[in-house]
Amino acid sequence: MQKKHQQYLNAYKTNCVFVDILAVRRRHEHIKIAGVKYFTFQEVANATKNFDSSMQIGQGGYGKVYKGVLPDGVEVAIKRAQEGSLQGAKEFYTEIELLSRVHHRSLVSLLGYCDDAGEQMLVYEFMPNGTLREHLNCEYSNQPNGMFTYYFQQ
């Protein structure tokens, strides 16, 4: 009986080590989604001048939004989750997958993501003319009758 117990214990230990190695591997592997690039924390930090406050262009419930410039000169907007708003890995990857499928000429495209160094960040194409809210407020204030004027890209 003791021999069987020892064999079971050895098999259990071997399986636990194997499972632990798989868990570590999974944590360091990144999902691959067509058209969405994985960025390291260092790449995102470099693009935003280490998240300098002069690069911050917005803030919301999710966290702060920074303007960044990639090494190839492409301007991007980076949504950096604040600590309290971090979601689970499964939810974060589901959001990335969903956003990678949404394409419309009036919406910014998701270019990539960062899930490195305990951070969750989304990298979008940058729109240089301000936010929708700024445009709506500006249009509202310019209209004497309080009516909105909408402009559509053609």
Side-chain angles (χ1 to χ4, degrees):
M1 183 71 158
Q2 190 157 7
K3 187 176 179 182
K4 275 194 168 195
H5 180 70
Q6 188 60 41
Q7 288 174 336
Y8 175 79
L9 204 55
N10 288 340
Y12 177 77
K13 286 180 182 176
T14 303
N15 286 337
C16 284
V17 170
F18 180 69
V19 169
D20 286 345
I21 290 170
L22 284 179
V24 169
R25 277 193 181 156
R26 275 191 218 115
R27 268 187 263 147
H28 296 290
E29 289 178 1
H30 309 290
I31 59 166
K32 292 182 170 69
I33 298 175
V36 181
K37 181 182 181 334
Y38 173 78
F39 291 92
T40 64
F41 178 82
Q42 194 58 53
E43 288 174 311
V44 177
N46 290 343
T48 60
K49 299 180 184 174
N50 289 318
F51 304 100
D52 188 273
S53 60
S54 68
M55 300 298 279
Q56 186 178 335
I57 56 174
Q59 185 169 350
Y62 182 82
K64 296 179 180 178
V65 181
Y66 295 88
K67 179 180 178 182
V69 181
L70 300 177
D72 61 1
V74 173
E75 292 181 322
V76 293
I78 299 165
K79 283 176 64 174
R80 183 184 192 190
Q82 59 192 26
E83 284 185 44
S85 69
L86 289 178
Q87 51 192 333
K90 182 180 177 184
E91 292 83 4
F92 184 62
Y93 292 136
T94 300
E95 183 176 0
I96 293 165
E97 192 171 26
L98 176 68
L99 290 171
S100 71
R101 294 179 186 185
V102 176
H103 299 285
H104 189 276
R105 66 182 183 180
S106 298
L107 299 174
V108 293
S109 296
L110 179 70
L111 301 178
Y113 73 99
C114 174
D115 189 16
D116 189 19
E119 298 268 356
Q120 291 179 342
M121 293 180 265
L122 298 172
V123 180
Y124 293 93
E125 70 175 309
F126 178 73
M127 297 295 283
N129 296 325
T131 66
L132 176 62
R133 176 178 288 183
E134 290 168 347
H135 283 279
L136 291 176
N137 287 338
C138 180
E139 291 298 326
Y140 181 82
S141 64
N142 288 337
Q143 299 296 322
N145 60 2
M147 297 293 290
F148 288 102
T149 303
Y150 295 97
Y151 296 98
F152 295 98
Q153 287 182 325
Q154 294 191 16

